[in-house]
Amino acid sequence: MRASRPKKRRKFAPPVLSARLNDRITLETRDDGSIAAVFDDYPIKMGRFSPKAVTRARDLSVGLPLASFAKGTAVDREIDLLVRRLARSGLLEYRFARRGDDQDVVVIEPQTPDYWPQAPKLGASDTLALSRFAYLRRRGNAMVLESPRATALFRIGDAQIAAALARLAIPQKIGKLRLQRDFPGNELIALLFDCQILFKVEPGSEGLRPQEGDESLVLWDFHDLLFHTRSTEGRQANPLGGVYPYVGTITPLPAVRQRWPGTAIDLREFETPLAPFANLLRERHSVRDFDEQRPITLPELAQFLDGTARVLSRWESALDLDGGGPVLDYTRRPYPSGGSAYELELYLAVSNCEGLARGFYHYDADAHALVAITVHPQQLDSMLGAAQFALDAPGLPQILVTVAARFGRLSWKYSGIAYSLIMKDVGGLFQTFYLMATEMGLGGCAVGSNDIDLFAQMTRMKFHVEGPVGQFVLGRERKQEIPADDAVSGTS
């Protein structure tokens, strides 16, 4: 009797990567052969295409394999053009599924408009590990794998895939991973590597943290980098700003807190005439509408920067540690800063300033000088336009001050609280801006959001080295004209 051979364990069939329309998008074809992507009844024109391309594009609703239009025929080139236009508009996602199976194994959701799946080649001897910034969390009924460094997140629809990726908490060689029954496939691993959710571990190296990125990245704590990227525009696709997400679900909190029970000590009997500074505090207000006929002037801008941000003095102090320490340099400036770090830098997008050309500038606080930075006009327009939109302002700001942080200046010293200290410093600087603008008869307003990727493109600096943490618009307030009847009656 012949002994039966042991059955081989079946490996996963490698999933296929497809481009698919976001579930809120539909494609509509016009009579002239043009295609429009429709979002909430708003059409976005994609261009004209041949009848064959139009027919094939319908498959984007369920998923069109990327490899299916890589052959180079005329229709392939049309589909490639359409898909890339959809991708640039943020209208696509990418699904991994096994042939003949409708279940999504993994869905890639782009977080930046320029994301395109790139699968770099990895060798069997390469060793990979999960980034210390990567995390898996529940979102609705799905599990998503993401990272503040990644330009896309991965929605995991297969528990075995999640388990296989979790093993990469310990560095693994690609060749060894491929032998595993639940190996998720070369392409998915390469895409995770391209998004910096996985990184390559060099042989013989000590410690994973120093190997992942440059020295500036080593200084970041996980929660700090996550908060920086998820509370700004540029590296996420989540709704941001005043969208009132809990209307009809939670009652809004009152403007004034309910009084605590107990006896109150009435302080009104101690009131005295206000000092000039106290009056200045009360006069402070936000200004979003600026006088384009009488813009802020360069001398006024110089006075504003002198009074709010200029380096007033410098000194050095040796770090007192066991066995000695390096000599650290410090500055003093008009606003407070945690540990006298003064990590904040000012960049000015100038739209309308008498005596100063339209452009993008860095304020050298030590030399009290403006240095022009060459940027593309579209980038400057985008930055100014985004501030106008965020403020719901009638026109562009005359000057938009972007407050950027040299993150390592604080994180080199402080563990766990570095980013929160930066936020406190920004608050102190903004109040200084407001008071100086009020004192000078100018107008200003803090902006609630900024685009960290746009700033990185304009300055050509990595977003984790130096990046925006706040914006403030500045200019001459447009005075509201008082009707003649009101002027006579004395109303305001």
Side-chain angles (χ1 to χ4, degrees):
M1 182 176 177
R2 293 173 56 186
S4 59
R5 294 182 180 179
K7 292 183 178 180
K8 293 183 178 179
R9 292 190 302 173
R10 288 186 62 190
K11 290 188 177 182
F12 278 179
V16 175
L17 182 62
S18 300
R20 180 172 67 185
L21 286 172
N22 187 297
D23 58 10
R24 294 168 295 177
I25 307 299
T26 58
L27 290 184
E28 290 186 358
T29 306
R30 310 299 194 218
D31 293 338
D32 61 356
S34 64
I35 292 178
V38 181
F39 173 72
D40 286 345
D41 295 327
Y42 176 77
I44 303 173
K45 295 180 180 179
M46 292 291 121
R48 296 179 62 179
F49 297 88
S50 68
K52 288 184 178 180
V54 169
T55 300
R56 196 168 166 191
R58 293 174 186 150
D59 290 338
L60 285 169
S61 60
V62 293
L64 192 61
L66 293 184
S68 69
F69 50 86
K71 299 175 183 177
T73 66
V75 174
D76 289 336
R77 290 193 294 272
E78 285 188 274
I79 293 297
D80 183 72
L81 176 63
L82 172 61
V83 169
R84 290 183 183 270
R85 285 178 179 173
L86 289 165
R88 283 196 296 270
S89 298
L91 307 179
L92 287 183
E93 59 186 19
Y94 307 90
R95 70 184 294 250
F96 273 105
R98 297 186 179 90
R99 296 187 185 278
D101 192 344
D102 293 334
Q103 179 187 359
D104 292 333
V105 175
V106 174
V107 176
I108 304 173
E109 299 179 12
Q111 299 298 292
T112 60
D114 59 348
Y115 175 79
W116 182 261
Q118 302 281 354
K121 291 184 178 180
L122 297 170
S125 60
D126 289 331
T127 300
L128 299 181
L130 269 174
S131 165
R132 66 186 178 89
F133 296 106
Y135 61 102
L136 187 68
R137 68 179 179 93
R138 181 183 69 83
R139 190 191 66 187
N141 295 323
M143 296 297 291
V144 294
L145 176 64
E146 55 185 322
S147 164
R149 297 189 67 202
T151 53
L153 65 79
F154 292 70
R155 193 167 78 235
I156 309 295
D158 189 313
Q160 288 181 287
I161 295 267
L165 295 175
R167 285 201 294 271
L168 284 161
I170 300 173
Q172 307 274 345
K173 281 193 174 183
I174 294 286
K176 183 179 178 181
L177 285 174
R178 289 172 180 163
L179 299 176
Q180 301 295 324
R181 182 177 181 274
D182 55 0
F183 177 61
N186 292 317
E187 190 170 18
L188 177 57
I189 292 293
L191 291 172
L192 288 165
F193 175 76
D194 180 61
C195 277
Q196 300 174 320
I197 289 176
L198 300 177
F199 71 99
K200 197 177 294 186
V201 179
E202 298 301 328
S205 54
E206 296 182 5
L208 295 180
R209 184 162 179 153
Q211 294 184 65
E212 187 180 353
D214 52 31
E215 289 184 351
S216 296
L217 191 65
V218 171
L219 294 171
W220 280 91
D221 287 331
F222 164 77
H223 62 280
D224 282 346
L225 192 61
L226 179 62
F227 184 75
H228 178 55
T229 58
R230 294 303 182 261
S231 59
T232 55
E233 295 179 283
R235 300 189 71 82
Q236 62 153 338
N238 300 319
L240 193 73
V243 296
Y244 300 100
Y246 301 108
V247 168
T249 304
I250 298 174
T251 303
L253 296 179
V256 179
R257 191 194 190 282
Q258 182 181 2
R259 289 190 175 96
W260 280 91
T263 303
I265 301 171
D266 193 345
L267 303 178
R268 287 173 289 186
E269 62 181 280
F270 306 109
E271 289 180 349
T272 59
L274 292 177
F277 180 72
N279 278 315
L280 186 66
L281 286 171
R282 294 193 175 192
E283 291 172 10
R284 182 215 61 78
H285 62 284
S286 294
V287 173
R288 298 173 176 83
D289 191 6
F290 300 99
D291 189 342
E292 290 303 301
Q293 303 306 314
R294 295 190 313 117
I296 185 175
T297 66
L298 180 56
E300 287 174 321
L301 176 59
Q303 181 184 346
F304 176 85
L305 294 171
D306 188 9
T308 59
R310 185 176 184 176
V311 171
L312 303 177
S313 62
R314 301 179 64 171
W315 77 95
E316 294 181 343
S317 178
L319 185 60
D320 186 13
L321 295 175
D322 293 340
V327 175
L328 305 179
D329 62 325
Y330 298 93
T331 63
R332 186 172 70 86
R333 310 187 194 193
Y335 62 95
S337 179
S340 292
Y342 288 105
E343 75 288 354
L344 302 180
E345 297 290 330
L346 306 185
Y347 292 83
L348 280 62
V350 176
S351 174
N352 188 5
C353 176
E354 185 180 320
L356 183 62
R358 194 177 196 272
F360 192 59
Y361 300 85
H362 172 249
Y363 174 57
D364 184 334
D366 190 27
H368 188 47
L370 291 174
V371 180
I373 299 173
T374 302
V375 298
H376 195 282
Q378 270 190 329
Q379 294 174 328
L380 185 65
D381 292 341
S382 295
M383 179 174 277
L384 291 165
Q388 178 188 358
F389 178 80
L391 295 176
D392 193 22
L396 294 176
Q398 293 179 357
I399 295 176
L400 173 65
V401 182
T402 295
V403 181
R406 292 183 296 136
F407 302 110
R409 176 72 180 166
L410 269 173
S411 57
W412 185 86
K413 175 181 179 181
Y414 294 104
S415 177
I417 62 170
Y419 197 76
S420 69
L421 289 178
I422 292 172
M423 295 293 99
K424 295 177 177 70
D425 290 347
V426 172
L429 178 59
F430 275 5
Q431 178 71 330
T432 306
F433 281 173
Y434 269 118
L435 295 178
M436 190 65 185
T438 303
E439 171 68 18
M440 294 179 61
L442 299 173
C445 185
V447 184
S449 62
N450 51 73
D451 190 324
I452 60 178
D453 260 20
L454 176 60
F455 181 86
Q457 293 165 15
M458 294 172 73
T459 60
R460 293 168 285 280
M461 291 188 293
K462 294 180 180 179
F463 83 95
H464 63 269
V465 175
E466 185 176 327
V469 289
Q471 288 185 321
F472 190 91
V473 297
L474 180 68
R476 194 177 314 284
E477 181 177 5
R478 186 195 306 274
K479 298 298 182 182
Q480 300 298 324
E481 294 185 4
I482 301 175
D485 292 344
D486 289 343
V488 171
S489 63
T491 59
S492 61

